[in-house]
């Protein structure tokens, strides 16, 4: 039987925009998400699950479940309302209380500094991470957070799912409000974000040697649609440009030679300034963290000739006939999870840490009976077993964080897509009472954690 390390981390990940609410309280400035209106299938962000007021209740659930680790995001605009200038002491005090209460409950905190919600003023002034000024502003913000919380928080990441800045998602999550969405803009954004990460990581290693900092990728297992060599080649190119290039930056400080060559051939070389490359070259990650939810296939016949690999998902992604699929077309693939654990560890040669893993399901609570989420139990059982298999096969895994402990609006604001082992009683437009209600999967996960993964 595979034995996980004695200090294995069991826990949960969240983002502030999806949990805190209280968008107009405590001196918080608006973020780019705060001003997005509700739609027919999505809520606004003003309440989320009201964790700003109810976090002690949620920490009690974490403690009861047996969690010993919690990754949360600091809302930049809560601690620095405009992203520049004075810091907001009331916002910093909120995170002080959260960190202290987590530690008192025996739960190790991890801070993520940025999870898509750029301070609105910064986005309006500079067009987000397209502009080098925002890199510098982020570095000032990060330094202040390290100074305030580095005495109690050992584990840090800079950007949630940083490789998304290599995809068209960058134009949504980087504070980019206007522009042609050109290839040059895309590559400038991804480079600026890599530079921002390097500045912070280098500072941690120089000034806070007792802390651990890692990079994070959204790592999806991608298969060729067929044995056609062109399908195989498309998968390789996509992974190199969108995932593995960043893994190399995190662990060696070097851009992929293939990506550099592409930039030189496509009039993007001006982005690679020697002084900035020197900063990036000094960075190293203490661990590689990643999210994993599902896998996909790549069909080269759907990709027009000359398409840039960063844009392959828009045209070439399909589904495997061998895997189950949820309502939102995410394919359940625990073997893919095992493969990703191996690929990241073999490439990076530093401990790996899956800090998001879960399945979205549509669920309804009738106010009386426990939600029977057997599909979630099966998903977690198979993925944790795949992790245990990877450990037995030589992969150094720090822990397993689910997404999530508790239902929150999805990244698109949809409360109907539920990931938690705890139900939150609200819909997209009806807030109800926000009551927390454990599902069947809660008891299952509690036993799995108490046995350190031995009982699945």
């Amino acid at each position: 039987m595979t034995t996980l390390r004695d200090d294995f981390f069991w826990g949960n990940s969240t983002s502030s925009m999806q949990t805190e609410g209280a968008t107009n309280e405590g001196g918080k400035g608006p973020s780019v998400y705060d001003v997005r209106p509700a739609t027919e299938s999505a809520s606004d962000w003003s309440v989320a699950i009201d964790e700003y007021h109810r976090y002690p209740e949620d920490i009690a659930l974490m403690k009861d479940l047996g969690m010993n680790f919690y990754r949360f995001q600091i809302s930049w605009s809560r601690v620095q309302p405009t992203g520049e200038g004075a810091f907001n002491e009331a916002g910093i005090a909120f995170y002080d209380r959260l960190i202290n209460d987590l530690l008192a409950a025996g739960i190790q905190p991890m801070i993520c500094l940025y999870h898509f919600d750029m301070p609105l003023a910064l986005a309006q002034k500079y067009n987000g991470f397209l502009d080098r000024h925002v890199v510098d502003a982020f570095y000032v913000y990060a330094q202040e957070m390290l100074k305030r919380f580095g005495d109690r928080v050992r584990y840090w990441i800079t950007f949630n799912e940083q490789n998304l800045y290599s995809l068209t998602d960058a134009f949504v999550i980087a504070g980019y409000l206007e522009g042609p969405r050109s290839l040059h803009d895309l590559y400038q954004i991804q480079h600026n974000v890599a530079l921002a990460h390097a500045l912070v990581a280098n500072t941690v290693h120089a000034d806070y040697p007792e802390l651990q900092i890692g990079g994070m990728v959204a790592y999806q297992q991608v298969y060729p649609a067929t044995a056609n060599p062109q399908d195989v080649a498309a998968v390789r190119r996509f992974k190199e440009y969108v995932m593995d290039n960043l893994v190399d930056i995190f662990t060696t400080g070097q851009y992929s030679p293939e990506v550099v060559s592409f930039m030189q051939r496509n009039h993007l070389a001006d982005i690679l300034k020697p002084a900035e490359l020197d900063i990036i070259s000094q960075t190293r990650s203490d661990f590689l963290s990643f999210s994993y939810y599902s896998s996909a296939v790549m069909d080269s016949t759907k990709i027009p000739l000359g398409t840039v690999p960063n844009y392959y998902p828009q045209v070439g992604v399909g589904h495997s006939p061998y895997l189950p699929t949820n309502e939102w077309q995410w394919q359940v693939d625990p073997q893919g999870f095992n493969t990703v654990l191996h690929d990241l560890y073999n490439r990076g040669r530093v401990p790996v840490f899956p800090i998001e893993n879960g399945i979205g399901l549509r669920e309804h609570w009738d106010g009386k009976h426990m939600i029977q989420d057997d599909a979630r139990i099966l998903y977690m059982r198979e993925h944790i077993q795949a992790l245990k298999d990877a450990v037995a096969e030589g992969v150094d895994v720090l822990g397993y964080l689910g997404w999530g402990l508790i239902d929150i609006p999805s990244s698109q604001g949809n409360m109907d897509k539920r990931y938690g082992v705890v139900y939150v009683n609200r819909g997209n437009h009806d807030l109800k009472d926000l009551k927390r209600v454990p599902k069947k999967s809660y008891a299952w996960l509690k036993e799995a954690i108490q046995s350190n993964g031995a009982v699945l």
Side-chain angles (χ1 to χ4, degrees):
M1 180 175 66
T2 303
T3 301
L4 299 175
R5 57 200 299 167
D6 292 337
D7 58 349
F8 193 80
F9 292 130
W10 294 94
N12 180 52
S13 287
T14 57
S15 80
S16 64
M17 68 186 183
Q18 293 167 270
T19 57
E20 289 177 7
T23 54
N24 296 311
E25 295 185 48
K28 182 184 182 301
S31 78
V32 292
Y33 272 79
D34 293 338
V35 296
R36 292 180 183 177
T39 67
E40 183 178 349
S41 60
S43 62
D44 64 26
W45 302 94
S46 60
V47 174
I49 60 167
D50 194 31
E51 193 162 277
Y52 185 80
H53 299 107
R54 303 181 67 144
Y55 77 86
E57 179 181 355
D58 295 337
I59 290 177
L61 285 166
M62 297 178 206
K63 184 176 181 179
D64 177 71
L65 196 62
M67 283 173 44
N68 59 10
F69 202 94
Y70 179 55
R71 183 201 86 165
F72 67 92
Q73 175 224 346
I74 291 176
S75 169
W76 188 354
S77 59
R78 188 175 295 285
V79 298
Q80 193 181 27
T82 64
E84 296 180 297
F87 285 88
N88 173 31
E89 293 301 327
I92 291 171
F94 166 73
Y95 294 111
D96 258 324
R97 295 191 299 272
L98 174 61
I99 290 166
N100 290 338
D101 287 358
L102 286 166
L103 292 171
I107 300 168
Q108 178 93 247
M110 170 191 272
I111 285 177
C112 172
L113 290 167
Y114 186 82
H115 195 124
F116 310 156
D117 55 344
M118 171 78 61
L120 181 62
L122 209 58
Q124 292 173 332
K125 186 175 181 180
Y126 296 114
N127 213 16
F129 276 104
L130 182 65
D131 195 300
R132 172 60 196 264
H133 284 90
V134 175
V135 174
D136 297 332
F138 178 81
Y139 183 44
V140 170
Y141 150 65
Q143 287 177 294
E144 187 69 17
M145 296 304 99
L146 285 164
K147 183 174 73 173
R148 299 296 189 114
F149 306 128
D151 61 328
R152 285 157 291 157
V153 179
R154 183 183 179 195
Y155 290 90
W156 296 71
I157 57 174
T158 47
F159 294 91
N160 181 70
E161 299 180 325
Q162 188 172 325
N163 62 314
L164 296 186
Y165 299 92
S166 302
L167 297 166
T168 53
D169 303 66
F171 299 121
V172 177
I173 64 177
Y176 182 98
L177 298 183
E178 59 183 4
R181 298 193 170 200
S182 65
L183 187 64
H184 195 282
D185 282 359
L186 178 65
Y187 271 74
Q188 185 69 67
I189 289 170
Q190 74 169 22
H191 174 78
N192 284 351
V193 172
L195 176 63
H197 167 83
L199 285 165
V200 178
N202 294 350
T203 294
V204 168
H205 289 138
D207 299 339
Y208 301 88
E210 70 281 8
L211 305 186
Q212 299 269 303
I213 187 163
M216 183 189 177
V217 290
Y219 211 102
Q220 186 176 41
Q221 177 61 17
V222 183
Y223 304 106
T226 70
N228 179 350
Q230 293 303 318
D231 288 350
V232 176
V235 169
R236 189 204 63 75
R237 282 192 295 269
F238 170 72
K239 291 180 68 176
E240 184 69 16
Y241 281 62
V242 173
M243 292 184 284
D244 291 336
N245 174 52
L246 190 56
V247 171
D248 288 347
I249 288 173
F250 286 151
T251 55
T252 70
Q254 303 298 317
Y255 266 85
S256 157
E258 182 177 358
V259 173
V260 170
S261 176
F262 170 84
M263 294 177 71
Q264 291 169 341
R265 297 193 314 271
N266 288 272
H267 311 292
L268 305 170
D270 62 295
I271 293 169
L272 301 175
K273 297 176 175 62
E276 295 177 352
L277 290 175
D278 182 61
I279 293 169
I280 291 172
S281 73
Q282 299 169 47
T283 192
R284 299 293 184 273
S285 287
D286 298 306
F287 57 89
L288 286 172
S289 59
F290 67 100
S291 63
Y292 177 89
Y293 293 94
S294 65
S295 63
V297 301
M298 190 74 71
D299 184 347
S300 64
T301 66
K302 297 179 180 179
I303 301 173
L305 189 65
T307 300
V308 174
N310 307 72
Y311 300 151
Y312 282 4
Q314 296 175 269
V315 290
V317 167
H319 291 87
S320 168
Y322 305 103
L323 297 171
T325 306
N326 77 350
E327 180 180 341
W328 289 273
Q329 301 305 303
W330 286 23
Q331 297 207 276
V332 178
D333 184 8
Q335 179 58 55
F337 184 45
N338 176 276
T339 301
V340 165
L341 287 161
H342 279 284
D343 285 351
L344 282 172
Y345 187 60
N346 290 342
R347 189 171 190 116
R349 300 299 176 94
V350 294
V352 294
F353 197 173
I355 61 173
E356 288 185 30
N357 179 243
I359 184 170
L361 300 171
R362 190 181 296 274
E363 295 163 334
H364 173 71
W365 182 52
D366 63 7
K368 297 180 293 184
H369 300 98
M370 179 180 288
I371 293 172
Q372 303 293 307
D373 56 338
D374 294 281
R376 178 169 292 106
I377 293 173
L378 178 61
Y379 181 98
M380 290 191 295
R381 175 186 293 124
E382 291 183 338
H383 283 75
I384 294 171
Q385 184 60 55
L387 181 151
K388 290 175 62 179
D389 292 344
V391 170
E393 294 154 358
V395 180
D396 186 0
V397 183
L398 292 180
Y400 174 85
L401 307 190
W403 188 278
L405 165 69
I406 191 167
D407 290 343
I408 58 178
S410 74
S411 59
Q412 305 302 313
N414 186 1
M415 199 66 203
D416 292 333
K417 187 180 184 183
R418 296 177 179 269
Y419 286 88
V421 299
V422 176
Y423 186 88
V424 175
N425 192 34
R426 67 154 291 182
N428 278 327
H429 309 297
D430 183 358
L431 293 179
K432 301 181 181 178
D433 60 4
L434 296 170
K435 184 177 181 179
R436 275 66 164 150
V437 185
K439 307 173 189 177
K440 183 179 180 180
S441 58
Y442 181 93
W444 180 90
L445 182 58
K446 184 174 182 177
E447 185 175 19
I449 292 173
Q450 287 176 341
S451 68
N452 200 27
V455 179
L456 297 180

